[in-house]
PDB file of all heavy atoms in Angstrom:
ATOM      1  N   GLY A 185       5.004  -3.867  -8.236  1.00  0.00           N
ATOM      2  CA  GLY A 185       5.870  -2.803  -8.721  1.00  0.00           C
ATOM      3  C   GLY A 185       5.136  -1.520  -9.064  1.00  0.00           C
ATOM      4  O   GLY A 185       5.772  -0.538  -9.461  1.00  0.00           O
ATOM      5  N   ARG A 186       3.816  -1.514  -8.920  1.00  0.00           N
ATOM      6  CA  ARG A 186       3.014  -0.336  -9.217  1.00  0.00           C
ATOM      7  C   ARG A 186       2.828   0.530  -7.973  1.00  0.00           C
ATOM      8  O   ARG A 186       2.575   0.014  -6.885  1.00  0.00           O
ATOM      9  CB  ARG A 186       1.642  -0.758  -9.741  1.00  0.00           C
ATOM     10  CG  ARG A 186       1.624  -1.101 -11.208  1.00  0.00           C
ATOM     11  CD  ARG A 186       1.694   0.163 -12.023  1.00  0.00           C
ATOM     12  NE  ARG A 186       1.845  -0.074 -13.443  1.00  0.00           N
ATOM     13  CZ  ARG A 186       1.890   0.920 -14.331  1.00  0.00           C
ATOM     14  NH1 ARG A 186       1.799   2.166 -13.936  1.00  0.00           N
ATOM     15  NH2 ARG A 186       2.041   0.664 -15.610  1.00  0.00           N
ATOM     16  N   ASP A 187       2.964   1.845  -8.152  1.00  0.00           N
ATOM     17  CA  ASP A 187       2.774   2.766  -7.030  1.00  0.00           C
ATOM     18  C   ASP A 187       1.281   3.017  -6.859  1.00  0.00           C
ATOM     19  O   ASP A 187       0.722   3.966  -7.404  1.00  0.00           O
ATOM     20  CB  ASP A 187       3.516   4.079  -7.299  1.00  0.00           C
ATOM     21  CG  ASP A 187       3.503   4.995  -6.079  1.00  0.00           C
ATOM     22  OD1 ASP A 187       3.036   4.567  -5.014  1.00  0.00           O
ATOM     23  OD2 ASP A 187       3.958   6.152  -6.210  1.00  0.00           O
ATOM     24  N   CYS A 188       0.637   2.127  -6.116  1.00  0.00           N
ATOM     25  CA  CYS A 188      -0.806   2.230  -5.919  1.00  0.00           C
ATOM     26  C   CYS A 188      -1.165   1.633  -4.569  1.00  0.00           C
ATOM     27  O   CYS A 188      -0.375   0.908  -3.966  1.00  0.00           O
ATOM     28  CB  CYS A 188      -1.568   1.504  -7.032  1.00  0.00           C
ATOM     29  SG  CYS A 188      -1.259  -0.279  -7.086  1.00  0.00           S
ATOM     30  N   ALA A 189      -2.361   1.944  -4.105  1.00  0.00           N
ATOM     31  CA  ALA A 189      -2.880   1.331  -2.885  1.00  0.00           C
ATOM     32  C   ALA A 189      -3.700   0.120  -3.291  1.00  0.00           C
ATOM     33  O   ALA A 189      -4.708   0.252  -3.989  1.00  0.00           O
ATOM     34  CB  ALA A 189      -3.746   2.330  -2.112  1.00  0.00           C
ATOM     35  N   ARG A 190      -3.249  -1.071  -2.901  1.00  0.00           N
ATOM     36  CA  ARG A 190      -3.895  -2.315  -3.313  1.00  0.00           C
ATOM     37  C   ARG A 190      -4.836  -2.813  -2.225  1.00  0.00           C
ATOM     38  O   ARG A 190      -4.503  -2.812  -1.046  1.00  0.00           O
ATOM     39  CB  ARG A 190      -2.833  -3.380  -3.616  1.00  0.00           C
ATOM     40  CG  ARG A 190      -1.981  -3.033  -4.829  1.00  0.00           C
ATOM     41  CD  ARG A 190      -0.764  -3.931  -4.926  1.00  0.00           C
ATOM     42  NE  ARG A 190       0.222  -3.616  -3.909  1.00  0.00           N
ATOM     43  CZ  ARG A 190       1.165  -2.688  -4.041  1.00  0.00           C
ATOM     44  NH1 ARG A 190       1.237  -1.981  -5.154  1.00  0.00           N
ATOM     45  NH2 ARG A 190       2.040  -2.470  -3.082  1.00  0.00           N
ATOM     46  N   LEU A 191      -6.005  -3.266  -2.651  1.00  0.00           N
ATOM     47  CA  LEU A 191      -7.013  -3.765  -1.736  1.00  0.00           C
ATOM     48  C   LEU A 191      -7.505  -5.105  -2.255  1.00  0.00           C
ATOM     49  O   LEU A 191      -8.164  -5.172  -3.286  1.00  0.00           O
ATOM     50  CB  LEU A 191      -8.180  -2.774  -1.634  1.00  0.00           C
ATOM     51  CG  LEU A 191      -9.298  -3.102  -0.659  1.00  0.00           C
ATOM     52  CD1 LEU A 191      -8.766  -3.130   0.773  1.00  0.00           C
ATOM     53  CD2 LEU A 191     -10.419  -2.062  -0.769  1.00  0.00           C
ATOM     54  N   GLU A 192      -7.139  -6.183  -1.574  1.00  0.00           N
ATOM     55  CA  GLU A 192      -7.571  -7.512  -1.995  1.00  0.00           C
ATOM     56  C   GLU A 192      -9.045  -7.703  -1.654  1.00  0.00           C
ATOM     57  O   GLU A 192      -9.466  -7.489  -0.509  1.00  0.00           O
ATOM     58  CB  GLU A 192      -6.733  -8.589  -1.313  1.00  0.00           C
ATOM     59  CG  GLU A 192      -7.009  -9.979  -1.822  1.00  0.00           C
ATOM     60  CD  GLU A 192      -6.105 -11.026  -1.216  1.00  0.00           C
ATOM     61  OE1 GLU A 192      -5.465 -10.740  -0.172  1.00  0.00           O
ATOM     62  OE2 GLU A 192      -6.032 -12.139  -1.768  1.00  0.00           O
ATOM     63  N   LEU A 193      -9.828  -8.105  -2.648  1.00  0.00           N
ATOM     64  CA  LEU A 193     -11.265  -8.245  -2.474  1.00  0.00           C
ATOM     65  C   LEU A 193     -11.726  -9.637  -2.887  1.00  0.00           C
ATOM     66  O   LEU A 193     -11.057 -10.329  -3.651  1.00  0.00           O
ATOM     67  CB  LEU A 193     -12.009  -7.200  -3.318  1.00  0.00           C
ATOM     68  CG  LEU A 193     -11.769  -5.737  -2.964  1.00  0.00           C
ATOM     69  CD1 LEU A 193     -12.453  -4.838  -3.975  1.00  0.00           C
ATOM     70  CD2 LEU A 193     -12.274  -5.424  -1.565  1.00  0.00           C
TER      71      LEU A 193
END
Side-chain angles (χ1 to χ4, degrees):
R186 278 285 173 178
D187 188 7
C188 63
R190 294 168 288 273
L191 183 63
E192 187 176 16
L193 297 174

